[in-house]
Amino acid sequence: MHKLLFFLLLFPNLLIAQTICTLESRQKLDGYLEKASLLEKEKHSPIELNIIIGSWMLGTPYVEKTLEIPGDEKLVINLVGLDCTTYLETVIGLSSIVKKGQITFESYEKELEKIRYRNGILGEYPSRLHYFSDWLYENEQKGIIKDITAEIGGQTYTNQPSFMSENPQYYPQLSSPIFVNDIKSIETQIANRTYHYIPKSDIKKHESNIKSGDLIAITSSLNNLDIVHVGFAIEKAGRIHLLHASTRSMQVEITAVPLADYIQNNKSQTGIMVARMLD
């Protein structure tokens, strides 16, 4: 019997909840939930939890497009392989349920849906927060994070993403003209907001204002794309490094060099946005 089918037979409620979680991912998640239950009494701040929980996943393989499944949109929980965004969402979801004192699979499932989808509700494909600058805005509106880029030295960032609507061939779900129009509408909303970023030449100057556990979003040199990579700030020897799911090492890792140096020689990366989880 296929492992996913076997798992869904064991947990039929997941069919109703439109959640996909393999047996291997459920086993990993159960292990994280068990560890998380021990953190509840220690009263860590959310950004401290991000580093503690994020470090549990060091060495997890980098796997992209785990959310792109055929058919209707589903809430995918995949802890066997993570890309930079699903790694960040996994950590924040776990940190959030520890903060709330509700450390169960069902609570994690609800929290993941809340942070991954517009208005916290899983709908059709465009309801997922595909552009990370939109993800930051939406989750600030939900009271989960605060974009602190402007207050720590950021400058205005011209943010007019259109990559998805201009390249529907890369997204099977965008074979639907209705979905393409929905994405265009979202892109217009993003373009009408004010965003800030710290240019990569200024990161070292402002990194003393960045705390371990802050969310880092790396901005793109492409005019039609907002963010090319995400992760968590982590302090090492007085400098800010990046804790992230890396396409270079193909696993979750901490950068060997500080964040400012990591970005400096990458022509596709122009700077960073910084957000902080709220207590």
Side-chain angles (χ1 to χ4, degrees):
M1 182 182 294
H2 191 279
K3 291 179 180 178
L4 176 58
L5 176 59
F6 175 73
F7 181 69
L8 291 175
L9 289 173
L10 287 177
F11 301 95
N13 61 301
L14 298 190
L15 288 169
I16 299 171
Q18 294 187 311
T19 297
I20 290 181
C21 180
T22 65
L23 181 59
E24 292 88 345
S25 286
R26 179 59 192 260
Q27 288 171 338
K28 275 188 171 290
L29 180 55
D30 284 344
Y32 294 149
L33 292 173
E34 185 175 352
K35 286 184 177 181
S37 65
L38 301 176
L39 295 175
E40 186 180 355
K41 296 177 182 179
E42 297 178 9
K43 305 301 180 184
H44 294 286
S45 70
I47 58 174
E48 290 172 336
L49 288 170
N50 287 344
I51 296 301
I52 295 169
I53 294 171
S55 296
W56 296 344
M57 300 168 203
L58 286 168
T60 301
Y62 180 97
V63 179
E64 62 179 8
K65 297 184 178 180
T66 58
L67 305 186
E68 308 308 319
I69 59 171
D72 294 339
E73 182 75 8
K74 298 286 193 302
L75 182 70
V76 176
I77 298 175
N78 187 331
L79 303 184
V80 177
L82 300 164
D83 65 23
C84 64
T85 303
T86 58
Y87 170 62
L88 182 141
E89 289 181 336
T90 298
V91 173
I92 291 176
L94 288 167
S95 295
S96 295
I97 64 173
V98 171
K99 183 179 70 171
K100 294 176 181 178
Q102 301 172 351
I103 306 172
T104 65
F105 175 86
E106 291 74 19
S107 294
Y108 175 75
E109 183 182 31
K110 290 176 182 176
E111 198 65 31
L112 189 61
E113 179 180 1
K114 180 179 179 180
I115 63 181
R116 183 174 288 171
Y117 291 94
R118 191 170 312 284
N119 301 316
I121 300 171
L122 185 157
E124 296 179 315
Y125 181 74
S127 71
R128 197 194 319 159
L129 298 168
H130 297 281
Y131 287 109
F132 200 78
S133 59
D134 194 29
W135 189 104
L136 290 172
Y137 174 83
E138 283 282 326
N139 281 295
E140 184 164 27
Q141 301 308 301
K142 297 167 192 169
I144 297 171
I145 61 164
K146 181 182 180 183
D147 185 338
I148 63 169
T149 313
E151 66 186 61
I152 65 170
Q155 62 188 53
T156 304
Y157 176 48
T158 302
N159 187 25
Q160 298 177 328
S162 56
F163 184 87
M164 291 185 69
S165 64
E166 291 172 354
N167 297 279
Q169 68 274 16
Y170 297 142
Y171 308 91
Q173 293 88 339
L174 294 186
S175 59
S176 163
I178 294 174
F179 286 178
V180 173
N181 287 334
D182 288 344
I183 293 294
K184 284 182 179 179
S185 176
I186 291 164
E187 292 168 344
T188 299
Q189 292 174 43
I190 296 171
N192 287 333
R193 299 177 192 142
T194 299
Y195 287 94
H196 297 81
Y197 84 126
I198 298 173
K200 60 184 178 182
S201 59
D202 292 344
I203 293 173
K204 186 175 181 180
K205 179 171 66 176
H206 296 297
E207 70 177 333
S208 62
N209 296 317
I210 300 173
K211 296 182 179 180
S212 282
D214 283 345
L215 285 63
I216 302 294
I218 299 177
T219 53
S220 171
S221 61
L222 297 176
N223 292 332
N224 63 354
L225 190 61
D226 58 345
I227 303 298
V228 291
H229 195 55
V230 300
F232 295 100
I234 183 167
E235 185 178 345
K236 290 181 62 181
R239 297 295 307 279
I240 293 297
H241 291 241
L242 189 67
L243 172 61
H244 66 140
S246 170
T247 56
R248 297 181 187 181
S249 65
M250 297 303 292
Q251 64 180 358
V252 176
E253 62 156 27
I254 299 170
T255 55
V257 298
L259 175 63
D261 299 336
Y262 175 82
I263 294 177
Q264 191 59 46
N265 295 322
N266 193 320
K267 293 181 180 179
S268 70
Q269 300 176 351
T270 60
I272 60 172
M273 294 181 184
V274 184
R276 185 166 294 162
M277 281 188 72
L278 299 174
D279 292 330

